[in-house]
Amino acid sequence: QVQLVESGGGLVQPGGSLRLSCAASGSIFSINDMGWYRQAPGKERELVAVITSGGITNYADSLKGRFTISRDNAKNTVYLQMNSLKPEDTAKYYCNAKIRNRKFGPVFNYWGQGTQVTVSS
């Protein structure tokens, strides 16, 4: 079993910042990509950012320059620094990780339970 536990969400005013964290634990041999997705009410889940085990990043075009993804491989943790937040960033943010549970085993796709980010004055 693998668990992804997110933290760091909350209520912030427009223009403010938040840092999300997601720690993976459990039966882990290796972690490939880790990423963040978000889903606003009535909308589909969308990619925010992804980072490979080697540190290569990919962002949703609309978020480049405001959001920064990073990871600590020793801690099996991925972070999302969000700056200059806007009301339209309000959503539930989900952590995602592609994890191999054993050597030479298949890679499985895991999701966290989500953390709410609300941007409002």
Side-chain angles (χ1 to χ4, degrees), residues 16-59:
S17 297
L18 280 176
R19 188 190 194 212
L20 306 182
S21 299
C22 171
S25 63
S27 180
I28 298 171
F29 175 77
S30 63
I31 303 178
N32 294 356
D33 295 356
M34 300 185 82
W36 292 95
Y37 292 73
R38 68 184 185 183
Q39 187 167 19
K43 294 188 177 181
E44 293 187 354
R45 190 173 297 189
E46 62 177 1
L47 170 71
V48 174
V50 175
I51 184 168
T52 69
S53 56
I56 297 172
T57 59
N58 186 39
Y59 295 90

Side-chain angles (χ1 to χ4, degrees), residues 20 35-39 45-50 58-64 67-69 80-82 89 91-94:
L20 306 182
W36 292 95
Y37 292 73
R38 68 184 185 183
Q39 187 167 19
R45 190 173 297 189
E46 62 177 1
L47 170 71
V48 174
V50 175
N58 186 39
Y59 295 90
D61 287 341
S62 62
L63 301 176
K64 288 179 181 177
F67 288 16
T68 302
I69 190 170
L80 184 68
Q81 178 67 42
M82 304 185 293
D89 294 318
K92 197 162 190 179
Y93 285 69
Y94 294 90

Side-chain angles (χ1 to χ4, degrees), residues 50-107:
V50 175
I51 184 168
T52 69
S53 56
I56 297 172
T57 59
N58 186 39
Y59 295 90
D61 287 341
S62 62
L63 301 176
K64 288 179 181 177
R66 294 196 298 122
F67 288 16
T68 302
I69 190 170
S70 61
R71 66 190 279 176
D72 184 333
N73 291 331
K75 296 181 179 179
N76 291 337
T77 299
V78 63
Y79 306 96
L80 184 68
Q81 178 67 42
M82 304 185 293
N83 298 328
S84 303
L85 283 162
K86 305 175 182 180
E88 51 263 43
D89 294 318
T90 295
K92 197 162 190 179
Y93 285 69
Y94 294 90
C95 174
N96 174 266
K98 293 175 173 52
I99 295 174
R100 197 184 304 273
N101 304 117
R102 55 185 173 82
K103 191 175 182 180
F104 304 126
V107 176

